Amino acid sequence: MTTPDDIERMGAAAVERLRAAPDLDALTAVLAEVTGKGSDLGAVKRGMGQLDAEARKQLGQTLNRVNGDVGRAAAERRAELEAAARRVRLEAERLDLTEVRPTTGAGHLHLVTQTMEELEDVFTGLGFAVAEGPEVEDDWHNFTGLNIPAYHPARDMQDTFFVDRGEPGDVVLRTHTSPVQLRVMEQQGPPIYIVVPGRVHRNEARDATHLATFHQLEALVVDEGITFGHLAGTIEAFTAAYFGEGFTSRLRPSYFPFTEPSAEFDIRRPDGTWLELGGCGMVHPNVLRNGGIDPERYTGFAFGFGIDRLALARHGVPDLREILSVDVRFLEQF
Ligand code: DAH
């Protein structure tokens, strides 16, 4: 005959087992064992029907209370185990945002900026001043004023990004630094000895030797008595000053609308290989006139070249697209 004490003992044993469950799966299994059909508490419940009214009342009250205790014990243990599981998960997912990546110290300027500054140093050393101009240009300074009229085939040499402002086609992202030639002629007049480093844009697909956004350095000299000899000598002096001993330059005949005669210039490396660098020539009389300068009195030379290719060639990096890399392992090398 089951007594209320028996039920208390069964309940206490069940609570003890629930509290000892090591994880959530074990808890579920234990709960089924201590309250299910096969459990002793389950057997008591099923046997209640055979008891007389007085005994049923007595045992029933105890059974209800003990079942309540068992249920609460299971809920408490579940809460404990869930909290522990959550702590484990949070620990595993924790990101240590205070972790510091060991580096060689502070950051530094990008390779292209470094190169630009080195070139500025070289040219200021040769007596040039540094000038700048806008990246968003008008048609006049980028093309027409540089002796490249509308529909001139030379416009196709420089696929253009147009800016949706003013008359259609009138505002562009400058395709070269040459428009600053005109701006300096307009603003200061001769004598002019300037270099213009800057960013330029072309509507081109990117590949190993082309970027849509890149950098150029432009040089312009306008004075009395300037000759092609001064142009060749300046390029040679710059080559020796920037690249060092053993580097020389050569000029090859070419065509640009804003210079006459025009040439392309290459740099000869000590190993005998050539690096094609840029274009140059004597400033076309039309361009001088467009800049408000009398071509009967003044002559000038100009040249322009890409900085990015130069910077990478110097470090033996073959692919221009590396310029855009944000990988610190690449950037740290320079
Ligand atoms: N602006 C030319 C280009 O981007 C390069 C150039 C050629 C600049 C001849 C010059 C020059 O100043 O005289 O292709």
Side-chain angles (χ1 to χ4, degrees):
M1 177 61 196
T2 307
T3 66
D5 280 352
D6 294 335
I7 296 177
E8 299 282 4
R9 264 193 303 281
M10 292 172 196
V15 166
E16 199 170 313
R17 287 192 61 198
L18 288 167
R19 288 195 181 139
D23 57 45
L24 286 165
D25 285 346
L27 180 68
T28 305
V30 171
L31 187 62
E33 271 175 44
V34 300
T35 59
K37 288 222 174 74
S39 66
D40 38 14
L41 284 171
V44 173
K45 189 176 178 191
R46 257 178 295 124
M48 294 286 268
Q50 276 101 57
L51 299 177
D52 61 47
E54 186 51 34
R56 188 159 61 224
K57 187 179 171 204
Q58 216 190 1
L59 284 191
Q61 278 177 355
T62 307
L63 186 63
N64 280 343
R65 185 172 40 71
V66 165
N67 275 341
D69 290 348
V70 169
R72 267 189 299 283
E76 274 167 23
R77 185 63 185 149
R78 179 170 301 278
E80 267 172 34
L81 290 171
E82 279 172 354
R86 200 172 121 80
R87 274 196 301 278
V88 168
R89 190 162 44 77
L90 284 182
E91 188 58 32
E93 290 174 356
R94 194 164 73 105
L95 288 179
D96 183 358
L97 298 178
T98 65
E99 188 179 33
V100 176
R101 183 181 179 282
T103 67
T104 48
H108 60 70
L109 295 176
H110 189 273
L111 174 61
V112 171
T113 313
Q114 286 178 31
T115 306
M116 226 135 90
E117 294 193 348
E118 283 166 28
L119 289 168
E120 286 174 22
D121 283 352
V122 167
F123 280 104
T124 47
L126 294 173
F128 287 75
V130 177
E132 285 186 328
E135 262 175 70
V136 178
E137 259 301 0
D138 51 39
D139 175 275
W140 171 258
H141 290 93
N142 197 82
F143 292 121
T144 309
L146 288 173
N147 210 29
I148 318 174
Y151 309 114
H152 191 285
R155 290 203 178 205
D156 293 345
M157 288 159 65
Q158 303 185 353
D159 288 321
T160 307
F161 283 120
F162 292 95
V163 177
D164 191 7
R165 272 200 86 169
E167 288 296 303
D170 209 35
V171 181
V172 302
L173 296 185
R174 68 177 176 194
T175 58
H176 50 176
T177 42
S178 302
V180 188
Q181 290 189 25
L182 280 174
R183 291 191 174 273
V184 173
M185 289 182 205
E186 290 161 3
Q187 280 156 26
Q188 81 169 65
I192 296 171
Y193 292 82
I194 53 137
V195 287
V196 184
R199 192 185 287 138
V200 302
H201 307 265
R202 294 203 193 159
N203 191 357
E204 288 198 84
R206 243 189 242 156
D207 62 29
T209 54
H210 297 89
L211 294 178
T213 293
F214 55 103
H215 303 82
Q216 289 188 333
L217 186 119
E218 188 87 13
L220 174 68
V221 167
V222 180
D223 206 341
E224 287 180 28
I226 297 296
T227 70
F228 202 91
H230 293 121
L231 167 60
T234 302
I235 288 180
E236 188 65 25
F238 144 70
T239 302
Y242 181 71
F243 292 92
E245 284 299 306
F247 285 79
T248 53
S249 61
R250 76 175 172 195
L251 302 178
R252 285 176 290 118
S254 186
Y255 170 78
F256 296 99
F258 29 90
T259 41
E260 180 59 34
S262 301
E264 277 171 71
F265 62 99
D266 308 329
I267 306 294
R268 185 182 184 279
R269 303 186 184 93
D271 68 1
T273 58
W274 293 92
L275 173 67
E276 290 185 18
L277 205 56
C280 62
M282 299 305 290
V283 181
H284 197 289
N286 289 348
V287 176
L288 289 173
R289 230 174 269 121
N290 289 338
I293 294 174
D294 178 5
E296 299 297 329
R297 180 166 170 206
Y298 294 99
T299 51
F301 69 76
F303 58 86
F305 58 84
I307 294 175
D308 313 75
R309 202 171 296 177
L310 179 79
L312 290 186
R314 210 174 173 203
H315 293 278
V317 181
D319 194 320
L320 256 194
R321 287 166 293 193
E322 298 281 14
I323 289 285
L324 306 172
S325 170
V326 292
D327 188 332
V328 76
R329 291 166 300 183
F330 173 76
L331 297 168
E332 262 175 1
Q333 301 175 78
F334 308 106

